[in-house]
Amino acid sequence: MNQLEIRDLWASIDGETILKGVNLVVPKGQVHALMGPNGAGKSTLGKILAGDPEYTVEQGDILLDGESILDLSPDERARKGLFLAFQYPVEVPGVTIANFLRLALQAKLGREVGVAEFWAKVKRALELLDWDEGYLSRYLNEGFSGGEKKRNEILQLLVLEPAYAVLDETDSGLDIDALKVVARGVNAMRGPSFGALVITHYQRLLNYIVPDRVHVMMDGRIVAEGGPELALELEAKGYEWLRERVKEEA
Amino acid sequence: MSEADLRALGEEYKYHFVDEVKPVFVAERGLTRRVIEAISYHKGEPEWMLKFRLRALEIFQKKPMPTWGPDLSGLDLDNLVYYVKPAEVRDAKSWEEIPEEIRRTYERLGIPEAERKVLAGVGAQYDSEMVYHRVKEELERQGVIFVAIEEGMKKYEDLFKEHFAKVVPPEDNKFAALNSAAWSGGSFVYIPPGVKVELPLQAYFRVNTPEFGQFERTLIIVDEGAEVHYIEGCTAPMYSTESLHTGVIEIVVKRGARSRYTTIQNWSTNMYNLVTQRALVYGDAFHEWLDGNLGSKVTMKYPSSYLLEPGARTEILSIAFAKTGQHQDTGAKIILGAPHTSGTIVSKSISKGEGRASYRGLVKVLDGARGAKANVECDALLIDPESRTDTYPYIEIEEDTAHVGHEATVSKINDEQIFYLQTRGLKEDEAAALIVRGFIEPIAKELPLEYAVELNRLIELEMEGSVG
Ligand SMILES: Nc1ncnc2c1ncn2[C@@H]1O[C@H](COP(=O)(O)OP(=O)(O)OP(=O)(O)O)[C@@H](O)[C@H]1O
Ligand SMILES: [Mg+2]
């Protein structure tokens, strides 16, 4: 039961149904990729997993290690070990990364975290990301470049060490070096006690973070699944053939 | 601000405790000639001061209550006690000389400890009198004066008379007149030329008597090239009846001097806090007002800087937090009266529940103030749909070469920010508190650490259970 399971999930926003029966399982210890054309519902799925109150879940369930988290608030889900790296991280003016990260870590662990312990953790993460300590005293995402915002999401991932992470297009907007750095961060988390769903449009990222499985979402449903080779096939052929196949099946 | 503020945790208004203090003298209710004579008698004042008080009383009685601002109808001026002498001692130099019940209050508030650790001097006012005043010996040797205003009047009469009521005359407004008539307590501060006082001087104001008016009067003279930071903190127990705090703060910042006056007012919410603060700033001098208004029922307070000579500068930073039952009517006033003077106003307000925060400010550039520059930024944050904020910015420019900028924003706590922080494990109200803290950070970071911590603690407390 050590897995993140999405079971026949239907969800809507402003009366518009976006997810139409998503089924997907990410076992702990594995990294899966989620691909699909623009507007397929990938970010929607990520936000619903994290508990975004803007969306209404119509049907289905989300199970974390066998336990439904649908009724939990976003912070309760986070404290249970779920993490979402946002496609568009939010700016919070006046709140330093250091301050915020320590509060988040304390919330996650449910106890005070001493300065020494905190710094040790953060230092390691910064080194892995090739990042300057100076960023810690900057305000959360305020005035950050697109790439810096993404790197900051991975910094949080490394410090908070969740059991499951959804990374929403953490690779988009990154230069090659930054891409490698982010991949290094995610790979550092890989291991038997970590599962991840990596949303991406590009095979490029998957060269560095090689997925155990690849899922393809179209129009709010998972329409194909396979090994890493599926991503290569999509890269070569695009989505049209899949779309045709889905039509035929219907 | 750094790690220490993370320790901040919520609890109830922690300053609510009533002391078992038996005052040595309590004036009859209401403000009459008799009461003023009694105040003057208890202070052993010179004749001229009694005359000044009585003249101020007439002005006070003639001036109408201001109606342009907050509702003051709950303030029953005839029912207040205007003078309570808590003990025989004034300006004790050691805490041991102070009656134990009073001393305990300051210990509970952490004042003696702060004095040892982070302050250059401490003054403590209890109801109407300054019971304690002490400045570090080395500063005393350099000629720094930091005493109760009554002692200033008696011991340094010439210096006192030169400036007292010259910065804020009794005619200025009804409450300045009230203070001029009934004043008691406050500090007299003089920093000699070139002396730089590195640690802050702090005065602590405590009100214990219910239905009472505290009329602190402070006069600070910063001589040429000198530097000082003065901090004022205020608390009172919570009573169901109204009380009044009407201070007058007069500051003279001479050529090339630097001064900063910080107020963190956390009065209980039965307090009317109606204060006049003004600084006269001379050539190339710099004065800063840092104003935090968290408590009180109604606050009317517009710290002002008069830039009188070329190169004078000022900065006025203020934070107001208004929750249900509170109206914070605060702001700032800068008069640019000479060439190349400059001023900045940054005002941040937070309104929660049915709280109301108003910004009221005046920037005035006088004819001939060539190249004068001023900038005003006021930002309001609304926590709840019923929260309220208003802005009354007045700008008067008589000089063509002056530049005055004004920017105002009103924002709400953003749901996306809350969600983002929640996905990192923070509860909804913790997330909201963090956003509020971020909102005031540009000002909070200017505060001494202890105050920044305290401010954050208060905001967390105010925000607890505030959303969701
Ligand atoms: N408030 C809304 N009302 C109606 N439709 C919405 C609303 N918000 C999002 N959508 C729609 O939901 C669909 C899924 O959006 P989502 O952001 O999940 O796509 P995505 O797969 O992440 O796309 P991309 O690859 O471009 O990031 C889109 O068609 C989008 O327009
Ligand atoms: Mg997306």
Side-chain angles (χ1 to χ4, degrees):
Chain A
M1 274 310 173
N2 277 343
Q3 58 186 32
L4 171 62
E5 182 181 358
I6 300 150
R7 207 183 270 173
D8 189 30
L9 192 66
W10 293 68
S12 64
I13 184 164
D14 297 338
E16 188 94 20
T17 303
I18 312 290
L19 300 187
K20 302 166 183 169
V22 176
N23 287 291
L24 199 160
V25 174
V26 181
K28 204 176 255 179
Q30 295 193 7
V31 172
H32 289 200
L34 178 62
M35 305 183 77
N38 294 132
K42 303 181 298 296
S43 293
T44 302
L45 178 64
K47 284 190 260 185
I48 289 172
L49 288 174
D52 191 337
E54 298 287 313
Y55 296 88
T56 312
V57 172
E58 313 278 2
Q59 191 182 313
D61 208 348
I62 304 167
L63 305 156
L64 200 71
D65 295 337
E67 210 182 303
S68 173
I69 56 167
L70 267 191
D71 293 334
L72 301 186
S73 64
D75 50 295
E76 287 166 330
R77 297 180 193 202
R79 293 197 295 271
K80 283 210 179 291
L82 189 67
F83 180 91
L84 170 66
F86 282 55
Q87 182 172 3
Y88 304 108
V90 181
E91 302 193 2
V92 188
V95 176
T96 63
I97 294 186
N99 217 330
F100 155 70
L101 256 187
R102 182 148 169 231
L103 286 174
L105 186 61
Q106 294 187 143
K108 166 81 198 303
L109 299 178
R111 63 170 170 86
E112 287 271 314
V113 175
V115 179
E117 180 188 353
F118 175 68
W119 280 99
K121 251 194 153 70
V122 171
K123 264 216 165 90
R124 218 177 320 122
L126 284 171
E127 271 163 28
L128 207 63
L129 294 177
D130 235 345
W131 233 20
D132 195 274
E133 237 176 62
Y135 279 97
L136 294 179
S137 51
R138 289 196 42 189
Y139 297 146
L140 191 51
N141 293 322
E142 199 189 30
F144 277 30
S145 74
E148 286 170 333
K149 284 184 183 168
K150 297 299 173 71
R151 213 184 274 229
N152 186 24
E153 295 292 283
I154 300 302
L155 176 71
Q156 295 171 39
L157 172 78
L158 290 172
V159 172
L160 298 177
E161 298 182 295
Y164 297 96
V166 179
L167 310 181
D168 192 356
E169 294 197 28
T170 305
D171 55 330
S172 61
L174 293 186
D175 63 44
I176 281 291
D177 292 340
L179 184 78
K180 286 185 193 163
V181 161
V182 162
R184 190 156 74 216
V186 176
N187 285 330
M189 288 290 298
R190 274 185 112 143
S193 52
F194 177 68
L197 185 64
V198 177
I199 300 172
T200 183
H201 285 293
Y202 305 107
Q203 169 58 32
R204 202 178 62 156
L205 176 71
L206 303 179
N207 288 334
Y208 299 103
I209 305 173
V210 181
D212 296 293
R213 298 286 290 167
V214 176
H215 309 258
V216 183
M217 182 183 262
M218 262 184 203
D219 193 25
R221 287 183 307 126
I222 303 296
V223 296
E225 276 190 40
E229 69 287 348
L230 177 57
L232 288 167
E233 194 177 353
L234 289 170
E235 173 101 331
K237 301 203 284 187
Y239 289 109
E240 210 40 51
W241 63 276
L242 250 182
R243 207 165 269 139
E244 294 298 326
R245 207 181 77 187
V246 171
K247 250 188 231 158
E248 277 165 30
E249 283 171 8
Chain B
M1 222 186 314
S2 73
E3 307 308 324
D5 59 345
L6 297 167
R7 279 178 315 205
L9 284 168
E11 46 189 17
E12 291 299 317
Y13 180 76
K14 73 171 180 185
Y15 307 111
H16 174 75
F17 48 87
V18 179
D19 311 326
E20 298 282 318
V21 170
K22 299 250 174 318
V24 296
F25 174 76
V26 178
E28 62 198 36
R29 282 171 197 265
L31 188 63
T32 58
R33 195 185 165 98
R34 250 187 32 188
V35 166
I36 295 222
E37 282 166 351
I39 294 173
S40 191
Y41 167 81
H42 277 276
K43 293 186 183 302
E45 281 176 356
E47 183 66 21
W48 67 268
M49 183 53 81
L50 176 60
K51 282 201 178 125
F52 170 83
R53 288 181 186 274
L54 292 172
R55 186 169 70 81
L57 178 65
E58 273 174 36
I59 297 168
F60 167 70
Q61 284 162 344
K62 276 195 205 117
K63 277 195 189 286
M65 286 291 264
T67 50
W68 41 264
D71 178 13
L72 299 176
S73 60
L75 181 60
D76 184 358
L77 289 171
D78 295 328
N79 190 43
L80 293 178
V81 175
Y82 285 78
Y83 181 72
V84 174
K85 185 178 186 178
E88 286 302 344
V89 60
R90 178 190 297 133
D91 262 12
K93 290 274 175 288
S94 78
W95 292 101
E96 284 67 43
E97 292 169 55
I98 297 169
E100 201 193 329
E101 308 77 53
I102 297 179
R103 190 175 72 221
R104 263 208 307 268
T105 295
Y106 293 106
E107 274 162 7
R108 256 175 109 161
L109 295 166
I111 310 297
E113 192 192 348
E115 178 182 20
R116 285 192 298 276
K117 288 186 181 157
V118 291
L119 298 169
V122 164
Q125 175 152 352
Y126 196 89
D127 286 343
S128 293
E129 295 285 353
M130 277 282 179
V131 290
Y132 180 85
H133 248 109
R134 189 182 152 116
V135 65
K136 290 220 151 65
E137 272 167 28
E138 69 208 64
L139 291 171
E140 217 162 358
R141 273 200 301 276
Q142 292 176 65
V144 171
I145 300 169
F146 178 53
V147 294
I149 186 109
E150 291 83 356
E151 301 308 300
M153 168 178 66
K154 287 177 195 162
K155 282 196 201 142
Y156 311 96
E157 191 170 352
D158 291 347
L159 189 60
F160 182 90
K161 274 179 124 168
E162 188 186 340
H163 299 288
F164 179 83
K166 301 293 194 299
V167 184
V168 180
E171 294 82 3
D172 193 81
N173 65 73
K174 186 171 178 78
F175 291 98
L178 171 58
N179 175 285
S180 300
W183 71 264
S184 184
S187 299
F188 177 77
V189 179
Y190 173 72
I191 315 294
V195 172
K196 296 180 172 34
V197 182
E198 288 182 4
L199 293 171
L201 299 174
Q202 176 173 332
Y204 202 90
F205 294 85
R206 177 74 181 173
V207 163
N208 189 53
T209 304
E211 293 165 354
F212 166 72
Q214 188 179 57
F215 305 98
E216 134 220 16
R217 177 106 197 180
T218 286
L219 175 58
I220 300 175
I221 301 146
V222 193
D223 216 326
E224 297 191 359
E227 285 185 23
V228 72
H229 180 188
Y230 185 95
I231 302 175
E232 167 192 53
C234 326
T235 63
M238 184 67 204
Y239 294 115
S240 58
T241 50
E242 273 64 34
S243 284
L244 174 64
H245 172 256
T246 290
V248 166
I249 313 298
E250 301 181 281
I251 304 184
V252 178
V253 193
K254 297 201 176 171
R255 285 191 60 81
R258 290 179 73 90
S259 62
R260 175 186 262 196
Y261 191 100
T262 298
T263 307
I264 299 293
Q265 130 341 67
N266 190 19
W267 291 118
S268 48
T269 52
N270 59 326
M271 187 69 83
Y272 284 83
N273 184 45
L274 314 171
V275 177
T276 308
Q277 298 184 328
R278 187 170 304 155
L280 305 183
V281 190
Y282 291 90
D284 297 318
F286 177 62
H287 178 73
E288 189 172 4
W289 294 107
L290 226 158
D291 206 33
N293 291 296
L294 300 156
S296 81
K297 177 186 174 95
V298 171
T299 284
M300 292 174 75
K301 191 158 184 259
Y302 323 98
S304 61
S305 295
Y306 286 44
L307 309 178
L308 300 177
E309 288 181 357
R313 292 181 302 129
T314 192
E315 220 171 83
I316 306 178
L317 310 177
S318 69
I319 299 170
F321 194 114
K323 55 183 183 293
T324 301
Q326 288 186 298
H327 187 174
Q328 305 282 12
D329 197 272
T330 61
K333 195 161 129 184
I334 301 180
I335 312 292
L336 298 102
H340 306 295
T341 47
S342 64
T344 304
I345 295 170
V346 181
S347 157
K348 301 227 171 216
S349 74
I350 300 146
S351 313
K352 182 180 163 244
E354 287 164 27
R356 181 173 171 193
S358 311
Y359 168 81
R360 199 181 292 279
L362 170 69
V363 171
K364 186 170 183 171
V365 185
L366 302 184
D367 188 17
R370 286 182 316 282
K373 271 190 286 202
N375 198 50
V376 181
E377 183 193 325
C378 42
D379 303 317
L381 183 66
L382 303 175
I383 309 286
D384 297 302
E386 60 275 21
S387 311
R388 182 169 166 192
T389 182
D390 336 74
T391 315
Y392 309 97
Y394 301 97
I395 296 177
E396 296 170 23
I397 306 177
E398 299 170 356
E399 167 62 44
D400 290 341
T401 62
H403 293 277
V404 177
H406 174 87
E407 228 182 293
T409 65
V410 177
S411 50
K412 299 205 158 79
I413 286 207
N414 175 325
D415 290 342
E416 282 178 28
Q417 291 175 325
I418 298 262
F419 175 59
Y420 183 68
L421 296 174
Q422 273 189 286
T423 64
R424 301 310 187 238
L426 302 186
K427 296 198 183 85
E428 197 171 359
D429 54 357
E430 293 169 344
L434 193 61
I435 292 165
V436 171
R437 280 166 49 177
F439 173 74
I440 60 162
E441 164 73 9
I443 294 176
K445 71 171 190 232
E446 296 297 323
L447 290 170
L449 182 65
E450 303 70 38
Y451 287 86
V453 170
E454 175 68 2
L455 189 63
N456 281 329
R457 196 193 66 79
L458 287 169
I459 282 171
E460 253 145 56
L461 169 63
E462 300 294 359
M463 294 302 294
E464 230 165 72
S466 63
V467 283

